[in-house]
Amino acid sequence: MNNATDDELIDLAAILGFTGMMNQVQFHASIENRGQVGGGFRGVAKGEQLKIIPDEPPNMTDDSIQKLSADDASLTVLNLNNIKTMSAEVVSRLCTALGENTKLKELHMAATNLTSAMVEPMLLALKVNHTLEVLNLESNFITSDMILKILDAISGNKSAVTDLRLSNQRQRVLGVQMEQEITQMVLQNPRLNNLGLDFDTPTARIQIREHLKKTVDANKRLARLNKGG
């Protein structure tokens, strides 16, 4: 040991787990079997150079809203999932643009910290929009009352929504009464063929599953007839 070099002592310290006797660079160099730098135990202590981490790409929400407002034909799918910094004002502008848009087919806003108050402006847009087919609002803070309002908004003749995803809200338990009301609303919708929502009561689950299955079958038959015609 008396004749051991600093590099050998550092390697030995790393093997024995004496991490307090070396800095992080020396420890990783020893583990990865790389040459030691920095003067060993007698080296001058100094800060490590900071790693330059590139900035995150800019939020494209405003650009998307502009395209939505302009009825841009290239914007058929708008994915805003996991953007948790959207303000109520931004969501309101998006909803206004959605109401005037005729090209968007899918709107995904899962895990965006949406509350029922923020979703309120979307109700009118859903009532007048006749091209949106997929609406994904999963993993937010939408209450059962607002879920019922959303279902009501897409029940009109103009609505084209066939896929509605609302599962994993902060309010996980809807309640028996609310599940019954939601079930009745779904049963009155002839277009909806997929509903992402968790139910506790077996009656609601069975009735909705059977209704959605019938809707899917009816849509397939209609598609075959249209293709044959």
Side-chain angles (χ1 to χ4, degrees):
M1 294 292 291
N2 292 333
N3 297 324
T5 65
D6 280 354
D7 286 355
E8 291 171 338
L9 291 174
I10 290 172
D11 288 341
L12 181 60
I15 293 171
L16 296 176
F18 297 153
T19 55
M21 298 177 63
M22 66 194 78
N23 61 36
Q24 209 169 33
V25 174
Q26 291 172 330
F27 176 75
H28 286 292
S30 177
I31 294 298
E32 297 171 6
N33 199 26
R34 292 187 282 108
Q36 294 291 339
V37 293
F41 288 114
R42 300 181 183 87
V44 177
K46 61 179 181 179
E48 300 298 332
Q49 289 187 344
L50 296 177
K51 292 183 179 179
I52 304 300
I53 300 176
D55 294 333
E56 293 184 358
N59 190 331
M60 304 305 291
T61 306
D62 287 337
D63 290 342
S64 299
I65 294 176
Q66 289 179 4
K67 287 185 177 181
L68 204 62
S69 298
D71 212 15
D72 192 328
S74 67
L75 185 63
T76 58
V77 178
L78 179 53
N79 189 339
L80 302 175
N81 288 346
N82 300 306
I83 299 179
K84 303 181 185 299
T85 56
M86 284 188 291
S87 65
E89 185 270 335
V90 169
V91 175
S92 179
R93 287 195 290 115
L94 186 148
C95 293
T96 300
L98 176 64
E100 301 169 352
N101 186 272
T102 62
K103 303 296 189 303
L104 192 70
K105 299 293 185 183
E106 299 183 16
L107 175 59
H108 299 270
M109 299 180 69
T112 51
N113 286 341
L114 289 176
T115 64
S116 292
M118 294 171 71
V119 174
E120 186 81 32
M122 189 179 292
L123 299 177
L124 178 59
L126 293 175
K127 289 180 180 180
V128 299
N129 183 289
H130 59 274
T131 55
L132 186 70
E133 298 174 358
V134 178
L135 177 60
N136 181 2
L137 301 176
E138 293 178 337
S139 302
N140 282 298
F141 299 86
I142 302 173
T143 63
S144 56
D145 289 337
M146 181 53 65
I147 289 175
L148 194 62
K149 291 180 180 180
I150 292 172
L151 284 166
D152 180 59
I154 65 171
S155 64
N157 294 329
K158 286 188 176 182
S159 177
V161 175
T162 59
D163 187 344
L164 180 62
R165 307 172 193 177
L166 296 168
S167 63
N168 196 35
Q169 301 299 326
R170 182 65 178 268
Q171 181 184 347
R172 297 185 182 278
V173 179
L174 298 173
V176 175
Q177 180 64 33
M178 184 57 67
E179 287 193 6
Q180 291 176 349
E181 293 183 29
I182 290 175
T183 299
Q184 292 305 312
M185 189 68 69
V186 173
L187 296 181
Q188 296 171 15
N189 190 315
R191 292 170 301 278
L192 199 63
N193 56 42
N194 182 59
L195 176 64
L197 192 60
D198 298 323
F199 295 93
D200 290 327
T201 57
T203 302
R205 288 199 300 268
I206 294 171
Q207 287 183 322
I208 289 177
R209 183 177 66 241
E210 292 300 317
H211 175 73
L212 296 179
K213 183 177 181 297
K214 290 179 181 178
T215 303
V216 171
D217 292 341
N219 290 337
K220 287 181 179 178
R221 287 195 299 270
L222 182 61
R224 285 197 297 268
L225 289 174
N226 292 336
K227 186 176 181 180

